[in-house]
Amino acid sequence: MKTLQGRSAIVTGSTSGIGEGIARALAAAGANVMLNGFGDAKAIEALRSGLQKEHGVKVGHSGADLTKPDEIEKLVADTKLAFGTVDIVVNNAGVQHVSPVEEFPVAKWDLIIQLNLTAAFHMTRLTIGDMKTRKWGRYINIASAHGLVASPFKSAYVAAKHGILGFTKTIALEGAEHGVRTNAICPGYVRTPLVEGQIADTAKARGMSEEDVVRNVLLAAQPTKEFVTVGEVAELALFLCSPSANQINGAALSVDGGWVVQ
Ligand code: NAD
């Protein structure tokens, strides 16, 4: 029997990057998975049906915009309808914007706080009651090294990621005696579409070439001088769902090549 057989998961922002990697890992471990996120409809359907066929689990997709609480409510309701329960929630969807604070667009600030922080509150408030009743649940919040340290020009992102770590600790306490475990993963740089966008934005903000940004800004912070891989983050998320992780609760787990120890 696969380790997550009979469990059901929602992975937000799983049509790309880290979320897609986590969705693949959970499905391979036997969980039903509700994908979420935007993108090309044909590519999303190929991902959904491919995972379903390959792993013999149910896989759905919701295009819910997680900046809208009513769409989050529908995502959770649709998942319960499709799978019966929501046992694992991976709060992963996130966006970035790089700009000096005095020029930071107000709409971008609001978007980043809503998606990178407030969406996790809604996902949690709508699912934790059932998890407590069933005495089993897992929240995995994808924070960032920027949940623990700052970089210039990322005020909204750093604020949201520090916020999600505080939220993670609080929910860890609220679920502790009910079999619900809540943890955060804090990756360093992973070369996903989000980071590709940042390379271009940082080059503009700092007046540097994109090659210089990769070498002297992004990987300058990462002592291994290597990008984190999606697979490395996904394997940790899977471990956090395993019985061996039962006493890991409220942790902020760094996967950053040593970035935050400096
Ligand atoms: P990505 O851009 O590859 O994927 C983002 C996903 O979020 C996509 O599926 C997209 O469709 C979805 N999304 C965007 N706006 C949405 C909305 N309003 N509603 C619902 N879904 C929405 O990004 P990624 O690099 O895989 O990042 C995933 C998470 O990991 C983010 O929270 C990010 O902050 C975090 N993270 C990334 C890195 C990195 O280096 N890539 C490092 C640390 C933390």
Side-chain angles (χ1 to χ4, degrees):
M1 186 169 140
K2 292 184 178 177
T3 53
L4 293 180
Q5 203 163 325
R7 305 285 191 202
S8 295
I10 300 176
V11 185
T12 71
S14 47
T15 53
S16 170
I18 294 170
E20 180 183 330
I22 294 174
R24 287 181 181 280
L26 296 181
N32 297 322
V33 176
M34 182 60 80
L35 302 167
N36 159 255
F38 307 144
D40 174 68
K42 273 195 189 149
I44 293 172
E45 176 51 23
L47 172 67
R48 190 202 66 75
S49 56
L51 283 177
Q52 188 162 271
K53 207 167 152 193
E54 189 179 345
H55 302 297
V57 295
K58 291 184 200 165
V59 182
H61 170 258
S62 159
D65 179 344
L66 300 191
T67 64
K68 299 185 174 142
D70 57 330
E71 295 199 20
I72 298 178
E73 284 178 16
K74 189 165 183 312
L75 164 63
V76 171
D78 287 349
T79 308
K80 282 187 191 168
L81 206 63
F83 305 151
T85 60
V86 180
D87 307 295
I88 299 164
V89 172
V90 183
N91 288 305
N92 166 78
V95 288
Q96 172 65 286
H97 184 78
V98 181
S99 165
V101 71
E102 63 272 32
E103 290 161 23
F104 212 94
V106 173
K108 286 282 185 196
W109 172 278
D110 289 343
L111 168 68
I112 289 171
I113 299 298
Q114 278 165 14
L115 183 62
N116 297 19
L117 179 59
T118 308
F121 157 68
H122 290 297
M123 289 297 301
T124 306
R125 77 177 172 83
L126 293 165
T127 52
I128 195 166
D130 287 351
M131 288 185 192
K132 283 179 170 176
T133 304
R134 287 193 309 278
K135 295 276 175 211
W136 199 93
R138 293 288 181 273
Y139 290 102
I140 299 167
N141 296 328
I142 305 304
S144 167
H146 281 121
L148 297 163
V149 295
S151 296
F153 312 125
K154 296 182 178 174
S155 53
Y157 189 84
V158 170
K161 295 298 187 182
H162 276 65
I164 196 84
L165 293 189
F167 183 69
T168 299
K169 291 179 193 175
T170 307
I171 305 311
L173 295 178
E174 293 189 22
E177 292 188 60
H178 304 276
V180 179
R181 301 290 172 260
T182 306
N183 292 289
I185 298 178
C186 298
Y189 282 106
V190 189
R191 198 154 189 170
T192 65
L194 178 141
V195 164
E196 294 294 347
Q198 264 185 77
I199 293 169
D201 290 351
T202 306
K204 209 171 137 200
R206 298 194 183 196
M208 297 166 76
S209 75
E210 296 196 3
E211 276 175 6
D212 278 349
V213 170
V214 169
R215 204 174 43 244
N216 299 321
V217 181
L218 301 198
L219 296 185
Q222 239 159 260
T224 54
K225 305 294 177 211
E226 291 167 4
F227 282 103
V228 177
T229 68
V230 166
E232 287 160 355
V233 178
E235 285 297 318
L236 178 55
L238 192 57
F239 175 73
L240 288 173
C241 296
S242 74
S244 302
N246 200 34
Q247 294 307 320
I248 303 179
N249 194 30
L253 298 160
S254 291
V255 187
D256 64 4
W259 175 346
V260 302
V261 303
Q262 300 177 90

